[in-house]
Structure formats: C-alpha cells, structure tokens
Amino acid sequence: MGRKAVAVSQDAIVRAISAVQKAGVEVKSIRVEPSGAVIINGDNPPKSEKSLEKPILDYL
C-alpha cells in the first residue's frame, strides 16, 4: 500500500526559511520531501574566537 504525499504549503516553507535566516544561517538550497519534510541546506558565517568566548563569560 503506497503512502500519499503530504501537502506542504508555501507559507510553511517561507516560515522555515525565515527561521533559518533569523538563526544567522545563509540558505543555499531547499528540498521538500514527499513526507512533507522541508530540508534546508545552508552555511553558517565563520565565527571568531572572541564571539565564541562571550556567551561562556555571560554565564559566569
């Protein structure tokens, strides 16, 4: 017995892209699976050592 494709709305894809961009990731490609999963491939910008140390100091 075959599975039906899940309908994914354009709004759901736009929300997913927006969330990824707000997280600071540059969107490179998007794929929508028959199961309804939205797969977004992207690149994170390089981080400096100083930017990585700051969050640790905020907790101390």
Side-chain angles (χ1 to χ4, degrees):
M1 195 156 123
R3 295 183 181 199
K4 278 201 287 186
V6 176
V8 178
S9 70
Q10 183 176 357
D11 289 336
I13 295 170
V14 170
R15 284 192 304 271
I17 293 169
S18 178
V20 169
Q21 289 173 334
K22 282 183 183 178
V25 177
E26 182 183 347
V27 175
K28 294 291 186 179
S29 67
I30 302 164
R31 185 176 72 227
V32 179
E33 296 288 323
S35 65
V38 178
I39 303 185
I40 300 174
N41 294 314
D43 283 336
N44 286 351
K47 296 189 183 268
S48 67
E49 284 187 36
K50 194 170 194 173
S51 70
L52 294 173
E53 290 174 0
K54 186 177 180 192
I56 294 171
L57 296 176
D58 289 343
Y59 287 108
L60 298 177

